[in-house]
Amino acid sequence: MAYATDLSGICTSLGAADIETWNRVVNGILSHAESTAADLNAVIGRDPDFALAQAVRGLSCLLLGRREMIAVAQEAYQAALAAARRRPPTAREAGFLQALALWLRGSPVAAAECLQQVLDDNPRDALAMKMVQAIQFVMGRPDLMRRSVETILPHYEGHSAKGYVLGCHAFALEEAGEYALAERAGQRAVELAPDDAWGLHAVTHVFDMTGRAQEGLDWLNGREASWAHCNNFRFHVWWHQALMHLDIGDFDAALALYDSEIRREKTDDYRDIANATSLLARLEIEGVDVGDRWEEVAEFSEKRAGDGCLAFADLHYLLGLIGGGRDQAAARLVGNMARARPSDGDAKAIICRNGHHTALGLHAYANGNYRMAWLNLQKAVQELQAVGGSHAQRDVFSRIAVEAGLRAGFLDETENLLKERTRAHAGCQDGYTLRRLEFLASVRENAYSGHSARARAKETI
């Protein structure tokens, strides 16, 4: 068989007849396209001896953070091994198989390192680049995301995937607090690759973190085609738009987007549950009545609460259970997180440490024990990076910490937390911070007025 080179110019163990479909798989992974799974299955169906396709299938299953997908990933790994025996993979392709094996042994961290070595050896490998970014993201390691993409950037002149690489760079820069650089990189990414939803959303993150909600809305408006092709990632981009409306106080618009776009499809994917629960929690913090919307996500959250795959997922399932008033299920989930053991893998170590600390605070908050909630959450928010996700996604836990502090009477400490949050937002005060600082000022003014009245009464006596 004559082997073909892929869109990165790298030799594969795939024949020329199927390379076009495989390139669609790679482009689909880069652009978060809904068509990717069908294209991947087509490649596997046409050439079951192409081990790399099975390895990518297995890694993609593990990225879903669902317990039942572990068995599917294991099956994909066995299929990849069998394919490799029939047709030896290239050294680069063998690296993907090794990465899958490492993750199945409980170490996504080692899997990412293995794929990073593949990328070091093949810096123009856009597929390896994106897979490294994806794994490091769910493991809460944006510093390594940035280091990885910046190492290979000089190799992408003339590469068809340059826009997607710049999109990944933009997001890593944003998470590092390099907002101006991130904004420029993301804008350039979308210029080069109009369907780069990741780069587009990286710029949206910049607007969120720098308190420029209206600019964020203007950026997204008219660019819907950039994420219309996406898998469920499109719901996340709509979620960002809802956050912008929330920030400027247009709560009705945020709730309307929840119904029309964010929960357009009632899925139980943890990323979709995270969109839903974190937005509903933010709305309730602002005093918005969300009606019976919690019930639907609580139902899904209870069914998925035993997965124990990722701390980020568990914490959002917990938000769903709390919001839906499922107290026993919430207590069970917190207990499950406490019983996770670091010896069972990288993800379990994060669940039982960083995740559990946060869960204790959320559970105490739900039960009205605001002092305990504050004591747990104000510490937990300092170590939340490890649970994965973005600053914008994790901010819901910071907001709940602030609410707990205010309700428990820790006014000075809560103000300090708001100041820390403002520093992380490049010194910008967003709508949430401004509203909370106004509330703090009113509480203190009322307390001072009450004290002065009592003092005057004593003088009169």
Side-chain angles (χ1 to χ4, degrees):
M1 176 187 289
Y3 294 148
T5 58
D6 66 10
L7 61 81
S8 294
I10 299 173
C11 183
T12 71
S13 61
L14 186 67
D18 298 311
I19 197 65
E20 182 179 347
T21 308
W22 176 247
N23 283 339
R24 286 205 304 270
V25 171
V26 177
N27 265 320
I29 290 172
L30 292 170
S31 64
H32 299 258
E34 190 171 28
S35 58
T36 307
D39 287 333
L40 180 59
N41 288 335
V43 172
I44 292 171
R46 285 176 55 85
D47 190 351
D49 294 345
F50 184 43
L52 177 57
Q54 290 287 6
V56 169
R57 175 177 169 240
L59 289 166
S60 300
C61 286
L62 294 175
L63 281 165
L64 292 174
R66 301 165 72 91
R67 177 178 287 185
E68 71 271 21
M69 287 294 104
I70 298 173
V72 180
Q74 184 67 54
E75 182 272 326
Y77 177 61
Q78 294 303 321
L81 291 179
R85 288 192 291 270
R86 294 190 298 268
R87 182 194 303 158
T90 66
R92 170 248 189 175
E93 293 168 353
F96 279 80
L97 269 69
Q98 179 64 16
L100 176 55
L102 290 167
W103 196 338
L104 286 169
R105 292 174 199 157
S107 185
V109 169
E113 291 170 353
C114 183
L115 288 173
Q116 182 61 52
Q117 184 60 56
V118 171
L119 188 56
D120 291 342
D121 295 338
N122 307 273
R124 286 175 67 85
D125 187 347
L127 175 62
M129 180 280 302
K130 187 66 171 179
M131 296 301 287
V132 169
Q133 294 292 308
I135 299 173
Q136 299 290 26
F137 176 64
V138 299
M139 295 309 295
R141 306 173 89 187
D143 54 331
L144 297 183
M145 294 171 69
R146 181 181 182 183
R147 186 186 309 168
S148 175
V149 72
E150 289 185 343
T151 300
I152 63 168
L153 269 175
H155 298 274
Y156 277 78
E157 289 306 317
H159 196 303
S160 64
K162 181 178 179 180
Y164 304 114
V165 176
L166 287 175
C168 289
H169 189 213
F171 182 77
L173 286 169
E174 180 276 324
E175 290 295 290
E178 299 281 2
Y179 299 123
L181 292 175
E183 186 173 348
R184 290 196 294 272
Q187 289 171 340
R188 181 58 176 155
V190 176
E191 287 177 12
L192 292 174
D195 65 346
D196 181 22
W198 189 258
L200 175 109
H201 116 287
V203 178
T204 307
H205 273 268
V206 172
F207 290 129
D208 180 82
M209 294 298 291
T210 54
R212 298 149 64 198
Q214 187 57 57
E215 288 184 64
L217 289 171
D218 294 342
W219 165 252
L220 291 175
N221 186 38
R223 289 189 170 88
E224 290 81 3
S226 292
W227 72 88
H229 68 285
C230 286
N231 51 27
N232 63 323
F233 186 64
R234 69 187 187 276
F235 305 137
H236 182 66
V237 183
W238 286 114
W239 175 82
H240 273 284
Q241 192 170 95
L243 291 193
M244 300 299 175
H245 285 296
L246 184 73
D247 192 64
I248 62 179
D250 191 349
F251 306 140
D252 288 341
L255 203 55
L257 278 175
Y258 180 95
D259 294 331
S260 65
E261 301 294 350
I262 296 166
R263 291 303 286 169
R264 173 187 287 270
E265 296 178 14
K266 303 297 191 289
T267 82
D268 66 347
D269 186 295
Y270 82 86
R271 295 160 296 188
D272 300 335
I273 296 297
N275 294 333
T277 58
S278 64
L279 181 55
L280 291 180
R282 284 170 165 91
L283 285 163
E284 287 196 334
I285 283 171
E286 300 292 353
V288 178
D289 182 357
V290 300
D292 62 358
R293 291 175 179 84
W294 278 114
E295 184 56 31
E296 178 249 326
V297 289
E299 184 73 18
F300 282 128
S301 296
E302 185 162 3
K303 291 176 180 177
R304 299 243 58 106
D307 280 4
C309 292
L310 294 170
F312 181 86
D314 281 355
L315 290 173
H316 286 90
Y317 296 146
L318 182 58
L319 284 182
L321 296 173
I322 289 170
R326 304 199 176 198
D327 300 334
Q328 292 183 343
R332 283 197 302 272
L333 177 52
V334 175
N336 289 341
M337 296 177 76
R339 288 187 289 274
R341 292 290 174 262
S343 57
D344 290 332
D346 302 334
K348 294 291 187 182
I350 296 170
I351 288 172
C352 72
R353 185 177 61 248
N354 314 71
H356 183 238
H357 292 168
T358 308
L360 285 173
L362 297 177
H363 199 223
Y365 183 84
N367 290 326
N369 190 342
Y370 301 121
R371 177 182 175 82
M372 185 60 65
W374 165 256
L375 293 175
N376 278 286
L377 287 173
Q378 60 90 23
K379 177 183 178 182
V381 295
Q382 307 302 323
E383 55 184 29
L384 266 177
Q385 179 70 68
V387 306
S390 66
H391 294 311
Q393 288 174 309
R394 294 187 302 271
D395 189 52
V396 67
F397 306 119
S398 297
R399 294 186 187 209
I400 294 173
V402 168
E403 300 307 306
L406 293 175
R407 297 185 186 201
F410 292 100
L411 303 187
D412 292 341
E413 295 89 340
T414 303
E415 184 175 16
N416 288 336
L417 181 57
L418 285 167
K419 288 178 179 177
E420 289 178 20
R421 185 176 177 277
T422 299
R423 282 193 290 272
H425 285 68
C428 302
Q429 293 181 342
D430 61 5
Y432 173 76
T433 294
L434 288 171
R435 289 189 287 272
R436 289 305 169 269
L437 288 175
E438 288 174 2
F439 176 78
L440 266 170
S442 68
V443 169
R444 285 171 171 153
E445 183 179 351
N446 290 336
Y448 176 77
S449 299
H451 173 77
S452 298
R454 288 191 296 275
R456 288 193 298 272
K458 286 183 179 179
E459 290 173 1
T460 302
I461 294 171

